[in-house]
């Protein structure tokens, strides 16, 4: 059989296969869908034309700056009740993104919901490291900035101890801090927090070198060459963990979103947060990748910060571990591993049926998560 005959037969076969689909399309249906899409786009362009930069600002709740040191800022949120909880809570976020995901907008704010339930809330903003901060270490961040903020809050409220709420990498930091300074932490809450970093089926951990070490990522070469790690590099790394969903699909869905001003604002706020990625201080990134991802030293008790060794058995205060059951960044088993290593006899764990970002923006989670935190703290006040 000639090549021409093969091509003709294939063409006839394709036509036969596609014919049932094509016959289902009528001119009326096609025209209706086209008109509907055009109307959505026109309405969306009108909504976009009215938006201003201030409309998509993140950080809904009223707050004031109460302490500053170098790039670090400590915020105190305005109380929403007459008599807030006596022991305040300090939210410690990750270095890799801005902390205002916890206060993204009015109806999607962990902070706002905690304030309504009577908590006295502080937030630690690590700021934007510059070339001058290349040599900052985990010791500087935890035994320096974080410890100073804890002391400031304790002194302000005339307390010996405060509550910590650590989120993602900030939860890992809070575990380390609580191990080194247990006398300063009343209750510890960790949320979507990596503990066991040897997760062979988690792309982020594999990329960091949880099994191959420097063969997966030569951290020393990276830091020696670049100094600080660009935020855009890390942001692209996170996006490529779900390239279709985070890189294409959400933009394909944009016409359906644009026609609603509220949904468009939600989308724009999320985009602003995603792409607002600070650079990482080189020496801190070097130690975190090598000791935690590649060496998995946290659960081995081998992490040394400054002159202090981190031993999770020293975390003896009450611990609440909150995790996302569909998390693609921090595998649930990585968070759940905390139970077998922590020294606390008062350990509580609670999962939520969402992904990593859903812990902040899911309406159902924002209905259930803040009361879980408030009730747990109230019982241990």
């Amino acid at each position: 059989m000639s090549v021409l005959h093969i091509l003709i037969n294939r063409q006839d076969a394709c036509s036969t296969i596609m014919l049932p689909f094509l016959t289902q399309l009528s001119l009326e249906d096609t025209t209706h869908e086209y008109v509907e899409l055009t109307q959505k786009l026109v309405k969306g362009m009108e909504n976009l034309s009215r938006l201003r930069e201030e409309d998509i600002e993140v950080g809904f709740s009223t707050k004031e700056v109460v302490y500053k040191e170098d790039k670090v800022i400590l915020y105190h949120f305005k109380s929403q009740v007459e008599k807030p909880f006596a022991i305040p809570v300090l939210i410690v976020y990750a270095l890799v993104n801005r902390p205002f995901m916890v206060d993204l907008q009015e109806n999607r704010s962990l902070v706002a919901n905690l304030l309504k339930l009577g908590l006295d809330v502080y937030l630690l903003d690590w700021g934007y490291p510059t070339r001058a901060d290349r040599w900052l270490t985990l010791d500087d961040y935890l035994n320096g900035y974080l410890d100073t903020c804890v002391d400031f809050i304790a002194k302000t409220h005339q307390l010996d101890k405060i509550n910590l709420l650590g989120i993602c990498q900030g939860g890992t930091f809070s575990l380390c801090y609580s191990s080194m300074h247990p006398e300063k932490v009343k209750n510890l809450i960790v949320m979507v927090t990596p503990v066991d970093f040897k997760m062979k089926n988690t792309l982020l951990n594999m990329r960091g070198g949880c099994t191959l070490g420097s063969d997966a990522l030569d951290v020393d070469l990276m830091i020696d060459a670049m100094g600080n790690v660009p935020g855009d590099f890390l942001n692209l790394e996170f996006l490529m963990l779900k390239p279709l969903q985070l890189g294409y699909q959400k933009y394909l869905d944009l016409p359906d979103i644009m026609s609603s001003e509220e949904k468009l604002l939600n989308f724009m706020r999320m985009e602003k947060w995603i792409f607002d990625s600070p650079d990482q201080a080189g020496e801190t990134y070097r130690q975190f990748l090598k000791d935690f991802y590649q060496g998995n030293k946290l659960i081995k008790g081998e992490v040394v910060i400054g002159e202090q060794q981190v031993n999770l058995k020293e975390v003896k205060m009450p611990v609440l571990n909150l995790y996302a059951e569909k998390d693609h960044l921090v595998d649930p088993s990585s968070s759940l591993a905390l139970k077998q290593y922590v020294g606390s006899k008062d350990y509580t764990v609670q999962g939520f049926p969402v992904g990593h970002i859903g812990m902040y923006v899911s309406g159902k989670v924002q209905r259930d998560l803040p009361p879980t935190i408030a009730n747990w703290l109230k019982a241990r006040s």
Side-chain angles (χ1 to χ4, degrees), residues 175 190 193-196 298-299 312-313 315 317 319-323 332-350:
L175 283 168
V190 291
T193 292
V195 177
D196 184 351
L298 179 61
I299 63 173
L312 292 179
K313 292 299 181 185
V315 180
M317 70 287 298
V319 175
L320 172 61
N321 187 2
L322 306 166
Y323 71 99
S333 57
S334 175
S335 297
L336 292 172
L338 180 60
K339 182 178 181 180
Q340 65 187 96
Y341 298 105
V342 77
S344 176
K345 295 180 180 179
D346 183 355
Y347 176 84
T348 308
V349 62
Q350 176 67 55

Side-chain angles (χ1 to χ4, degrees), residues 87-101:
I87 303 175
V89 59
L90 171 60
I91 298 178
V92 182
Y93 201 75
L95 294 172
V96 296
N97 285 110
R98 303 291 290 141
F100 299 108
M101 173 56 78

Side-chain angles (χ1 to χ4, degrees), residues 101 104 107-108 270 357-366:
M101 173 56 78
L104 192 64
N107 59 344
R108 295 186 181 187
M270 182 65 72
I357 302 300
M359 291 290 281
Y360 314 102
V361 300
S362 165
K364 183 177 180 180
V365 171
Q366 284 307 306

Side-chain angles (χ1 to χ4, degrees), residues 7-20:
L7 291 175
I8 291 174
N9 289 338
R10 285 185 177 179
Q11 183 177 5
D12 290 342
C14 289
S15 299
T16 302
I17 293 172
M18 295 183 64
L19 187 57

Side-chain angles (χ1 to χ4, degrees), residues 61-62 76-81 84 103 109-122 370:
S61 303
T62 303
H76 185 211
F77 290 92
K78 183 179 179 180
S79 178
Q80 299 297 307
V81 297
D103 190 38
S109 170
L110 174 62
V111 168
N113 289 324
L114 291 177
L115 291 171
K116 292 175 184 177
L117 292 169
L119 271 69
D120 194 355
V121 182
Y122 288 80

Side-chain angles (χ1 to χ4, degrees), residues 22-76:
L22 293 173
T23 56
Q24 293 174 11
L25 294 177
S26 67
L27 179 60
E28 181 180 356
D29 291 338
T30 305
T31 304
H32 175 74
E33 290 182 6
Y34 176 77
V35 170
E36 186 178 13
L37 176 61
T38 302
Q39 290 173 340
K40 289 180 180 179
L41 290 173
V42 171
K43 180 63 176 177
M45 294 306 295
E46 291 176 354
N47 288 334
L48 281 172
S49 68
R50 289 194 297 268
L51 289 183
R52 298 294 180 265
E53 183 67 23
E54 54 269 22
D55 296 326
I56 56 175
E57 286 295 324
V58 296
F60 161 75
S61 303
T62 303
K63 59 185 179 296
E64 63 174 332
V65 176
V66 293
Y67 178 78
K68 292 182 69 174
E69 182 180 357
D70 300 330
K71 308 295 193 306
V72 173
I73 299 174
L74 178 64
Y75 290 102
H76 185 211

Side-chain angles (χ1 to χ4, degrees), residues 55-288:
D55 296 326
I56 56 175
E57 286 295 324
V58 296
F60 161 75
S61 303
T62 303
K63 59 185 179 296
E64 63 174 332
V65 176
V66 293
Y67 178 78
K68 292 182 69 174
E69 182 180 357
D70 300 330
K71 308 295 193 306
V72 173
I73 299 174
L74 178 64
Y75 290 102
H76 185 211
F77 290 92
K78 183 179 179 180
S79 178
Q80 299 297 307
V81 297
E82 185 176 346
K83 292 184 178 181
F85 285 22
I87 303 175
V89 59
L90 171 60
I91 298 178
V92 182
Y93 201 75
L95 294 172
V96 296
N97 285 110
R98 303 291 290 141
F100 299 108
M101 173 56 78
V102 298
D103 190 38
L104 192 64
Q105 60 194 61
E106 182 175 5
N107 59 344
R108 295 186 181 187
S109 170
L110 174 62
V111 168
N113 289 324
L114 291 177
L115 291 171
K116 292 175 184 177
L117 292 169
L119 271 69
D120 194 355
V121 182
Y122 288 80
L123 175 67
L124 180 57
D125 180 356
W126 299 112
Y128 295 89
T130 64
R131 291 169 60 186
D133 304 304
R134 170 183 176 173
W135 304 105
L136 288 177
T137 63
L138 281 175
D139 184 39
D140 294 315
Y141 277 109
L142 302 189
N143 292 319
Y145 299 129
L146 176 55
D147 189 47
T148 302
C149 289
V150 170
D151 287 346
F152 177 89
I153 297 170
K155 183 179 180 180
T156 299
H157 294 264
Q158 298 182 332
L159 297 168
D160 295 326
K161 303 180 179 182
I162 70 168
N163 298 319
L164 285 186
L165 168 53
I167 300 176
C168 193
Q169 183 191 41
T172 309
F173 287 170
S174 297
L175 283 168
C176 294
Y177 180 84
S178 298
S179 166
M180 296 185 291
H181 304 280
E183 75 282 359
K184 297 184 180 184
V185 182
K186 174 69 173 177
N187 299 293
L188 174 61
I189 303 168
V190 291
M191 181 169 135
V192 290
T193 292
V195 177
D196 184 351
F197 286 79
K198 194 171 184 179
M199 295 288 111
K200 300 179 181 180
N201 296 322
T202 303
L203 290 176
L204 183 62
N205 296 63
M206 292 174 64
R207 174 72 178 89
C210 73
T211 55
L212 297 177
S214 60
D215 288 339
L217 179 65
D218 191 334
V219 185
D220 289 327
L221 179 61
M222 175 187 294
I223 302 305
D224 293 344
M226 296 193 300
N228 287 343
V229 178
D232 289 339
F233 169 83
L234 294 176
N235 191 44
L236 179 62
E237 184 176 37
F238 293 138
L239 293 176
M240 290 307 294
L241 295 176
K242 284 190 173 183
L244 178 60
Q245 180 179 342
L246 300 178
Y248 298 97
Q249 189 60 52
K250 63 180 179 179
Y251 299 115
L252 294 177
D253 295 337
L254 189 55
D256 291 326
I257 295 173
M258 291 171 60
S259 57
S260 167
E261 184 171 349
E262 180 181 357
K263 291 181 180 179
L264 180 60
L265 278 170
N266 293 347
F267 178 86
M268 296 296 286
R269 289 191 187 102
M270 182 65 72
E271 288 293 282
K272 182 173 183 176
W273 177 80
I274 288 173
F275 291 99
D276 186 5
S277 302
D279 294 346
Q280 301 294 294
E283 291 308 310
T284 295
Y285 187 83
R286 188 199 302 267
Q287 183 179 1
F288 194 74

